[in-house]
Amino acid sequence: MTPDEDDDALSWAGDTDPTLVPVTTSAPAARKTAQPAPEAPVEVPREPTALDIAEDAEDAAAEAYLEAAERDTAQLSSAMLIAYGILAGVYLLETVGWLVHVLRNQIAAASVFQVTDQIVQFLAVASAPLWLAAALLLTRGRVARTRVGWLLLGAFVLVPWPFVLGK
Amino acid sequence: MSENLPAPTSPTPSERSGFASQGRLGLIIIIAFALGYGYAVVRGFALLFSNVQNFGGDVSGIRWFVLIGAIAVPAVVFGLCLLTSWRLPAWGKAVVFLCGSTVVAALTLSLYSLVAFVFFQG
């Protein structure tokens, strides 16, 4: 067996046909480069229309909303959780303190002034939980430090001195 | 010619300045709570006058502190509530002023008890 016969066994007739050459990725690129480049459209700078401005504003609002939502749903750190727990306990104690004071010093509503004194007592009992709720509600989306700051302020302002002093 | 001019529109609450920027509901809330805080100030004045009438020139320093505190606390708290809630919506204003009124109640009772403690046990 001659080497030529071996080569014949490993090839098919017509392998050298140029029309059967597989198309490679470089072929179209080559064709593209061969063709003259189409003229690129000249970009004319234009003023933003009302629609563009409205879309930009809408995008900005959506981003702000998403940022706020992320802040709202962000997980609290352990330190913050402990701080909230301690402050909630302090507010609970203050509420109990005011309640005990009011129950010890009940006022009979005999005149208009005594009715208003009763209202003042009721408001004093409601002060601690209302401050807690207001601080949590109105500082939504703010930094945790701001929220804790408002809660600390309330804890100091609303100390039930009448109860502390044994009244 | 005037057909091309934009129609004059009334400014929105955020474009107005001063109390007009608060909107109608916000103003109603501010005025309603101002009446309550005002009542507390008037009661403070009534307490001051009755003490001056009863004790004359014998009103001591700590008693002056209480009498002036009873007038100042509602006024100061109202001012702080107004500042804090200036940019809040109407419901936020209501929450802040309600919270402030409870603070006035707590501070007033604390003030009286502190003075009573100083007078009778101190």
Side-chain angles (χ1 to χ4, degrees), chain B residues 2-88:
Chain B
S2 61
E3 291 158 6
N4 293 332
L5 292 173
T9 53
S10 60
T12 58
S14 59
E15 289 170 343
R16 298 186 195 124
S17 60
F19 278 96
S21 66
Q22 300 301 305
R24 186 172 292 174
L25 187 58
L27 274 179
I28 289 170
I29 288 167
I30 291 172
I31 292 168
F33 277 101
L35 291 174
Y37 284 85
Y39 175 75
V41 173
V42 167
R43 280 208 71 181
F45 272 112
L47 193 67
L48 174 71
F49 291 139
S50 67
N51 268 269
V52 170
Q53 206 169 19
N54 292 334
F55 298 104
D58 293 337
V59 180
S60 63
I62 189 80
R63 198 177 279 269
W64 275 118
F65 174 74
V66 177
L67 294 174
I68 293 171
I71 298 167
V73 165
V76 169
V77 171
F78 179 77
L80 290 175
C81 287
L82 199 60
L83 279 176
T84 312
S85 68
W86 192 255
R87 291 182 181 278
L88 292 178

Side-chain angles (χ1 to χ4, degrees), chain A:
Chain A
M1 190 183 282
T2 62
D4 286 342
E5 286 173 337
D6 285 345
D7 288 344
D8 288 343
L10 295 171
S11 61
W12 294 91
D15 273 354
T16 55
D17 186 352
T19 58
L20 296 176
V21 173
V23 178
T24 58
T25 51
S26 61
R31 274 201 300 274
K32 272 183 189 171
T33 51
Q35 291 171 353
E39 281 185 24
V42 179
E43 292 221 357
V44 180
R46 62 184 179 85
E47 292 288 318
T49 61
L51 185 63
D52 294 336
I53 294 168
E55 280 177 352
D56 288 346
E58 196 178 341
D59 289 347
E63 279 178 17
Y65 176 79
L66 286 174
E67 279 177 16
E70 277 181 14
R71 275 201 302 271
D72 284 349
T73 55
Q75 275 202 324
L76 287 170
S77 66
S78 301
M80 277 300 155
L81 271 177
I82 292 168
Y84 283 161
I86 291 170
L87 283 168
V90 169
Y91 276 90
L92 181 65
L93 286 176
E94 285 181 348
T95 308
V96 171
W98 280 115
L99 192 63
V100 169
H101 165 70
V102 167
L103 290 175
R104 279 182 191 161
N105 301 278
Q106 285 184 336
I107 300 167
S111 68
V112 177
F113 287 119
Q114 285 168 336
V115 170
T116 55
D117 285 343
Q118 276 189 336
I119 293 171
V120 167
Q121 284 188 333
F122 172 76
L123 288 175
V125 173
S127 61
L130 204 63
W131 184 294
L132 180 69
L136 293 178
L137 193 68
L138 297 175
T139 57
R140 266 186 317 174
R142 297 269 189 94
V143 190
R145 213 183 311 157
T146 310
R147 182 173 272 193
V148 171
W150 278 107
L151 291 175
L152 274 175
L153 180 69
F156 280 110
V157 168
L158 301 174
V159 172
W161 285 109
F163 174 74
V164 172
L165 299 173
K167 287 279 169 185

